[in-house]
Amino acid sequence: MLLNMLRLALQAIRRNVLRSSLTVLGIVIGVAAVITMVTVGNGATAQVTSDLAKLGTNVLMVRPGQSFHGGGGTRGEAAPLSVEDATALRHEIAGVLAAAPIASRPLQAIAGGRNRATSATGTTADYLIARNWRVAEGRVFSDAEERAGKAVCLIGDTVRDDLFGAQSALGQRLRLGQLSCAVIGVLEEKGESAFGSDQDDVVLVPLRWFHRRLAGNFDVGTIFVAAQPGVPSWRVQRDIENLMRERRRTADGEDDFSVTDMKEIVAAFTSTTRILTSLLGGVAAVSLLVGGIGIMNIMLVSVTERTREIGIRLAIGALGREVLTQFLVEAVVLSSLGGAMGIALGLAAAAAGANALGVPFVPDLSIVLIAFSFSAAIGIAFGYWPARQAARLDPIEALRHE
């Protein structure tokens, strides 16, 4: 019975191929738009999560000044952090794997006849631990080099490529402003961060050398604190806040520092991209309703054109529910064909969009199934009324229809 109805539905669609194709166009566009938006959105979410993870796992940032959600003063009004703060965090808080004090400034890096505007970052070997950053060539600073403030440096992949090209950078002299240092290591490539900055455009130098020769002060702008594996970051964050209040004597007043958990930033960015993806998917789904209206319109036209055929069926004994089912099957077949074509078009468009935006292609099978099911449901919802009109025709009046 059902197979026979499917065969009749396909015959009716083939009789008017152009009209049927135009009818399902709304469904095709709607399904394709939903799948494209959601898939590209999922790729963007995955890219943001991956980029933020490159900043370090289980990492907290301590900075002078209050956080954005705090009230009161600005970051510029707070006293800077110090190397002693980082030392205290490293040795006085249980569960801390590394605490890296950081100070940086923009400057010109020169090697041979090449130069590049970059930034010099003074820090310690703990910085690479906290950032989960490895050395691709060479080695990291030794304890003796850090204590003595030796003129050595590690360079990012972008700096290496610009200043040294294909030749090895190890052992070469690099001039930072008016000073020079020896390149002892090249960092592995990290790429762009979630904030759009090139993480490989950096030169790392021992913090003591930075303070003495480049900065002229002993200020620290940020401290990266990495918790040991298995230690909850919220517990480390609580202990950092308590210790910093004691050191900065703000126990009874407002904090003049902020402690940010990188997991909170990852969660915030991920939540934002998911919300935007849902909104875009919802807007795209509106076109499915437009496609449903198109199906209703064409089915009403079909009922009018086939009134005499319907009358003959009813006159020879066909039941009203059988006529109703036949027209519903035609509507569902139309919308399902549109859904299948929309899936193919949507996945192709999503792959092209992901490639153009430089984000991963992350197809979601559940969204594909939901979009297809919704397209079939559209056929039932918008095809019911025309089918009901056909089933309620009077056989005698239908046979008189010209």
Side-chain angles (χ1 to χ4, degrees):
M1 178 71 174
L2 183 59
L3 289 176
N4 187 49
M5 287 185 175
L6 285 172
R7 181 177 59 79
L8 292 174
L10 291 172
Q11 288 176 353
I13 292 171
R14 281 199 300 269
R15 280 199 299 266
N16 297 281
V17 175
L18 180 59
R19 187 174 71 183
S20 299
S21 300
L22 294 175
T23 300
V24 302
L25 190 58
I27 298 293
V28 173
I29 294 173
V31 171
V34 170
I35 291 176
T36 301
M37 293 299 180
V38 173
T39 303
V40 173
N42 287 342
T45 300
Q47 184 67 49
V48 167
T49 304
S50 174
D51 287 345
L52 288 172
K54 292 177 183 177
L55 296 175
T57 55
N58 218 19
V59 173
L60 302 102
M61 291 190 299
V62 184
R63 304 186 69 186
Q66 293 181 330
S67 60
F68 293 111
H69 52 75
T74 62
R75 193 174 299 279
E77 298 171 354
L81 302 174
S82 66
V83 177
E84 290 73 21
D85 290 330
T87 303
L89 294 176
R90 178 68 177 86
H91 296 100
E92 297 183 28
I93 296 180
V96 170
L97 177 65
I102 301 167
S104 63
R105 59 170 292 188
L107 43 68
Q108 199 80 5
I110 304 170
R114 300 182 178 183
N115 66 84
R116 177 180 179 83
T118 184
S119 63
T121 299
T123 187
T124 65
D126 270 7
Y127 179 76
L128 299 183
I129 299 174
R131 291 287 310 276
N132 192 27
W133 210 341
R134 294 179 178 84
V135 176
E137 300 178 58
R139 59 178 179 84
V140 300
F141 311 131
S142 66
D143 291 339
E145 289 169 336
E146 289 183 12
R147 288 194 301 269
K150 289 287 188 180
V152 293
C153 61
L154 303 173
I155 61 175
D157 188 70
T158 300
V159 176
R160 179 206 60 78
D161 186 56
D162 263 17
L163 299 184
F164 300 101
Q167 65 177 326
S168 174
L170 298 182
Q172 301 284 347
R173 300 297 297 184
L174 179 68
R175 203 166 85 222
L176 300 173
Q178 301 301 317
L179 305 171
S180 67
C181 59
V183 179
I184 62 170
V186 178
L187 302 170
E188 69 175 8
E189 185 178 358
K190 278 229 177 211
E192 285 192 358
S193 71
F195 308 104
S197 60
D198 185 358
Q199 298 182 89
D200 301 312
D201 186 12
V202 66
V203 178
L204 302 183
V205 298
L207 183 60
R208 180 162 294 186
W209 185 78
F210 180 92
H211 280 156
R212 289 177 175 175
R213 305 300 303 275
L214 287 177
N217 59 55
F218 294 94
D219 296 346
V220 170
T222 306
I223 300 175
F224 272 36
V225 181
Q228 294 177 0
V231 177
S233 58
W234 63 264
R235 183 185 301 167
V236 176
Q237 181 174 1
R238 179 197 62 194
D239 294 341
I240 290 173
E241 290 171 348
N242 292 335
L243 179 59
M244 292 301 294
R245 288 183 186 121
E246 292 178 9
R247 294 187 58 83
R248 296 172 74 87
R249 297 179 175 84
T250 61
D252 298 328
E254 293 183 344
D255 293 340
D256 64 346
F257 65 91
S258 64
V259 182
T260 305
D261 190 341
M262 291 304 299
K263 289 180 180 177
E264 295 176 1
I265 299 178
V266 172
F269 269 83
T270 302
S271 175
T272 301
T273 53
R274 283 177 178 167
I275 290 173
L276 289 175
T277 299
S278 300
L279 288 174
L280 291 173
V283 171
V286 172
S287 58
L288 279 173
L289 299 179
V290 177
I293 294 172
I295 286 179
M296 178 185 287
N297 180 58
I298 205 65
M299 292 306 297
L300 286 172
V301 172
S302 181
V303 169
T304 302
E305 289 181 345
R306 296 161 63 187
T307 299
R308 189 172 181 82
E309 173 191 330
I310 296 169
I312 293 173
R313 289 187 182 184
L314 293 173
I316 62 176
L319 300 177
R321 65 172 179 270
E322 293 174 341
V323 174
L324 173 70
T325 303
Q326 179 61 50
F327 277 86
L328 269 181
V329 168
E330 289 184 22
V332 171
V333 168
L334 268 176
S335 59
S336 297
L337 286 173
M341 290 186 287
I343 289 172
L345 179 61
L347 290 175
N355 183 63
L357 295 174
V359 299
F361 176 57
V362 187
D364 188 338
L365 180 60
S366 63
I367 293 299
V368 172
L369 293 177
I370 289 172
F372 182 77
S373 301
F374 195 63
S375 68
I378 286 287
I380 295 174
F382 286 88
Y384 177 77
W385 190 56
R388 186 168 176 268
Q389 293 292 99
R392 296 179 66 180
L393 286 175
D394 181 83
I396 296 176
E397 293 297 326
L399 288 171
R400 290 176 179 174
H401 182 78
E402 294 296 334

